[in-house]
């Protein structure tokens, strides 16, 4: 089969690989019809994720057709069209029993620290991902779901990560009726978080980024007020001015380790890799919410970011909530929102690349060229 293969930071190729075999009775092999590139893939692409091995195939957002099933698989049959959550999870451990699918204890030798994710380095289990013609799906009776007839492929693929994660960010913010919600990051995750904030009763939604074309999308897709942080001496002071000098009720951090906005944090966090990323957007979130406010963090970090304003968060009595998104837990509600038109995920898609041109897709998405918000990838076997 053809598959995207990592060759080192900023280097990837499409190569010939063996079609993955069934390794366990509850595995399925899925022929990928559409995959996506996530902001999280950029952390891998930029060489920021520990234990990203040469030869690894990325891709944790994908849909496809069941090609083969192991002998114990009961809920899928060959030919089914399925959407696969980005988390690999067993469905029965202590954590899965509590809906903490992203924290499953059975799927990663490193499970005390992190669950398992397709195509996301050996830190999260070393499973090859779906930016390929075929992918092995463990626990096939647990993760995948049939794509409903009424759902488009582009909506379905976005429901495997970006949409549930944005929605989850808003859930973590514990939004109350009328709250002012400020979202950091106008990537696909932040845009969905902003749109979701309205669905959860927000009275005012503000989105902050520095890419004008994405802020434009925040206005059209999420009906948000927008602020370009490069236009203010201090975006936190501006947020205070905007909120009667109290601060927002809720902040959602949808930027993560590669945040711009602080030269020192950027150099030490993303260039020299002396810490687990630049926590500047997190610090802005801490400073922008009022005392007693809540922050939902979905931006991804390495284990140890430095100079996080933890003492300020404590003194302000903030609630910080965070996790990798337990995707499947979000699906019932999100299916309703997509069906009713409250959420239109496919409006985020700006680019579609054949798998053979995926290196170009990563480059354009990484460099934020050509108005790129969400790039999809189409393998030819699909
Ligand atoms: N927790 C999860 O389950 C989960 C799932 C998916 C993605 N993520 C993470 O969410 C984050 C966003 O993902 P995405 O796909 O939207 O990525 P993206 O790269 O498309 O978007 C990030 C946005 O943040 C903006 N930004 C940079 N610095 C900023 C700052 N200081 N303040 C405000 N905005 C700033 C960028 O310009 C960009 O528009 C990433 O860190 C990704 O790894 C987490
Ligand atoms: Zn992702
Ligand atoms: Zn589990």
């Amino acid at each position: 089969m053809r598959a995207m293969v990592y060759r080192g930071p900023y280097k990837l190729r499409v190569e010939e690989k063996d079609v993955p075999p069934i390794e366990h009775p509850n595995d399925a092999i899925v022929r990928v019809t559409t995959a996506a590139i996530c902001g999280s893939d950029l952390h891998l692409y930029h060489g920021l994720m520990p234990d990203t091995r040469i030869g690894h195939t990325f891709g944790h957002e994908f849909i496809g057709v069941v090609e083969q099933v192991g002998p114990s698989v009961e809920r899928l049959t060959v030919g089914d069209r399925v959407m696969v959550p980005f988390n690999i999870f067993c469905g029965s451990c202590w954590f899965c029993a509590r809906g903490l699918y992203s924290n499953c204890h059975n799927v990663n030798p490193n499970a005390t620290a992190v669950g398992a994710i397709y195509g996301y380095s050996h830190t999260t289990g070393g499973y090859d991902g779906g930016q390929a013609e075929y992918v092995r799906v463990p626990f096939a009776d647990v993760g995948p779901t049939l794509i409903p007839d009424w759902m488009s492929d582009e909506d379905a693929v976005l429901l495997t990560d970006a949409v549930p994660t944005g929605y989850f960010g808003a859930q973590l913010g514990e939004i109350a009726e009328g709250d002012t919600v400020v979202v950091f990051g106008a990537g696909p995750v932040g845009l969905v978080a902003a749109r979701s904030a309205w669905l959860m009763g927000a009275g005012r939604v503000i989105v902050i980024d520095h890419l004008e074309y994405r802020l434009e999308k925040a206005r059209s897709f999420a009906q948000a007020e927008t602020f370009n942080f490069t236009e203010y001496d201090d975006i936190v002071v501006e947020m205070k001015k905007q909120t009667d000098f109290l601060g927002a009720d809720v902040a959602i951090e949808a930027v993560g380790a590669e945040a711009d906005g602080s030269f020192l944090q950027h150099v030490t966090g993303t260039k020299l890799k002396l810490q687990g990323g630049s926590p500047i957007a997190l610090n802005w979130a801490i400073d922008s919410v009022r005392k007693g406010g809540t922050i939902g963090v979905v931006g991804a970090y390495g284990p140890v970011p430095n100079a996080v304003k933890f003492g300020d968060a404590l003194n302000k009595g903030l609630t910080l909530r965070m996790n990798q998104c337990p995707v499947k837990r979000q699906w019932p509600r999100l299916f309703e929102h997509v069906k009713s038109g409250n959420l239109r995920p496919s409006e985020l898609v700006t680019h579609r690349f054949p798998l053979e041109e995926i290196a170009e897709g990563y480059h354009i998405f990484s460099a934020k060229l050509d108005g790129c918000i969400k790039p999809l990838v189409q393998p030819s076997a699909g």
Side-chain angles (χ1 to χ4, degrees):
M1 69 167 184
R2 305 291 290 168
M4 167 273 161
V5 169
Y6 178 68
R7 307 304 311 179
Y10 292 90
K11 276 186 247 143
L12 41 90
R13 288 205 297 251
V14 178
E15 290 181 7
E16 207 64 27
K17 265 192 169 181
D18 290 340
V19 174
I22 299 276
E23 290 179 24
H24 178 278
N26 208 241
D27 284 351
I29 305 302
V30 169
R31 174 168 54 83
V32 178
T33 51
T34 305
I37 308 175
C38 177
S40 301
D41 289 323
L42 297 179
H43 309 321
L44 298 173
Y45 177 60
H46 298 155
L48 289 172
M49 189 71 184
D51 210 2
T52 305
R53 299 187 190 172
I54 303 295
H56 192 49
T57 294
F58 301 167
H60 55 269
E61 294 178 288
F62 59 90
I63 61 167
V65 176
V66 177
E67 181 81 8
Q68 202 187 340
V69 290
S72 79
V73 174
E74 291 177 347
R75 300 182 53 213
L76 296 181
T77 44
V78 172
D80 283 347
R81 288 176 67 234
V82 287
M83 49 204 287
V84 182
F86 79 76
N87 333 94
I88 300 170
F89 58 107
C90 77
S92 53
C93 69
W94 193 94
F95 299 93
C96 287
R98 286 154 181 81
L100 295 166
Y101 304 146
S102 50
N103 310 103
C104 176
H105 215 48
N106 280 336
V107 282
N108 182 0
N110 202 20
T112 49
V114 58
I117 301 174
Y118 290 97
Y120 211 67
S121 84
H122 280 66
T123 300
T124 71
Y127 298 88
D128 266 343
Q131 290 164 4
E133 289 183 307
Y134 297 91
V135 60
R136 180 174 77 93
V137 172
F139 295 101
D141 280 333
V142 179
T145 288
L146 299 187
I147 300 174
D149 292 340
W150 51 265
M151 192 183 284
S152 74
D153 280 8
E154 294 194 351
D155 283 342
V157 74
L158 286 178
L159 279 161
T160 63
D161 177 0
V163 172
T165 300
Y167 191 77
F168 181 58
Q171 279 180 326
L172 291 175
E174 299 179 317
I175 297 165
E177 196 74 29
D179 273 356
T180 295
V181 178
V182 53
V183 179
F184 290 89
V189 173
L191 291 166
V192 173
R195 177 78 195 126
S196 303
W198 291 119
L199 300 176
M200 295 174 196
R204 189 175 177 195
V205 179
I206 296 170
V207 174
I208 294 172
D209 202 299
H210 61 142
L211 300 173
E212 272 306 328
Y213 77 91
R214 288 185 168 210
L215 292 173
E216 167 59 38
K217 194 71 170 183
R219 293 189 288 271
S220 64
F221 178 82
Q223 297 78 45
E225 292 169 57
T226 57
F227 291 83
N228 183 331
F229 66 76
T230 60
E231 289 173 5
Y232 299 87
D233 287 340
D234 185 338
I235 191 66
V236 169
V237 171
E238 182 59 26
M239 284 305 105
K240 294 268 167 67
K241 285 185 188 163
Q242 290 290 328
T243 52
D244 296 331
F245 294 94
L246 293 176
D249 301 293
V250 174
I252 301 167
E253 202 281 56
V255 180
E258 297 190 63
D260 289 296
S262 158
F263 179 74
L264 182 69
Q265 290 278 19
H266 194 76
V267 168
T268 57
T270 67
K271 298 292 177 226
L272 301 177
K273 298 168 192 162
L274 296 174
Q275 54 167 335
S278 156
I280 186 69
L282 178 59
N283 282 343
W284 285 352
I286 289 169
D287 286 342
S288 296
V289 288
R290 61 166 168 77
K291 287 173 277 188
T294 302
I295 303 178
V297 184
V298 284
Y301 288 91
V304 193
N306 299 325
V308 174
K309 294 192 160 182
F310 191 75
D312 290 359
L314 179 133
N315 291 333
K316 288 176 75 173
L318 303 187
T319 300
L320 270 74
R321 302 186 68 211
M322 64 206 86
N323 203 349
Q324 295 284 347
C325 176
V327 170
K328 199 167 181 180
R329 208 171 82 194
Q330 318 298 323
W331 277 353
R333 248 184 249 95
L334 286 173
F335 281 22
E336 284 173 25
H337 282 314
V338 172
K339 194 170 189 183
S340 69
N342 281 336
L343 262 175
R344 300 177 198 278
S346 57
E347 287 180 5
L348 298 173
V349 176
T350 50
H351 291 71
R352 297 161 186 85
F353 296 95
L355 177 62
E356 296 299 323
E357 289 169 26
I358 194 170
E360 177 71 358
Y362 268 83
H363 171 64
I364 287 177
F365 184 44
S366 165
K368 312 294 191 237
L369 302 174
D370 194 30
C372 188
I373 294 177
K374 189 71 180 176
L376 301 185
V377 176
Q378 257 126 8
S380 52

Coordinates of all heavy atoms in Angstrom, one line a residue, residues 38 40 60 161, ligand 2:
C38 N -4.2 17.2 11.2 CA -4.6 17.9 12.4 C -3.5 18.9 12.9 O -2.3 18.6 12.6 CB -4.9 16.9 13.5 SG -5.4 17.6 15.1
S40 N -2.4 18.9 15.7 CA -1.5 18.0 16.5 C -0.5 17.3 15.6 O 0.7 17.1 16.0 CB -2.3 16.9 17.2 OG -3.3 17.5 18.0
H60 N -4.6 10.6 12.6 CA -5.5 10.1 13.6 C -6.9 10.6 13.3 O -7.8 10.4 14.1 CB -5.1 10.5 15.0 CG -4.8 12.0 15.2 ND1 -3.6 12.6 15.0 CD2 -5.7 13.0 15.5 CE1 -3.7 13.9 15.2 NE2 -5.0 14.1 15.5
D161 N -12.1 14.0 15.3 CA -11.2 14.7 16.2 C -11.6 16.2 16.3 O -12.0 16.7 17.4 CB -9.7 14.6 15.8 CG -8.7 15.3 16.6 OD1 -9.2 16.0 17.6 OD2 -7.5 15.3 16.3
Ligands
LIG2 ZN1 -5.8 15.8 16.3

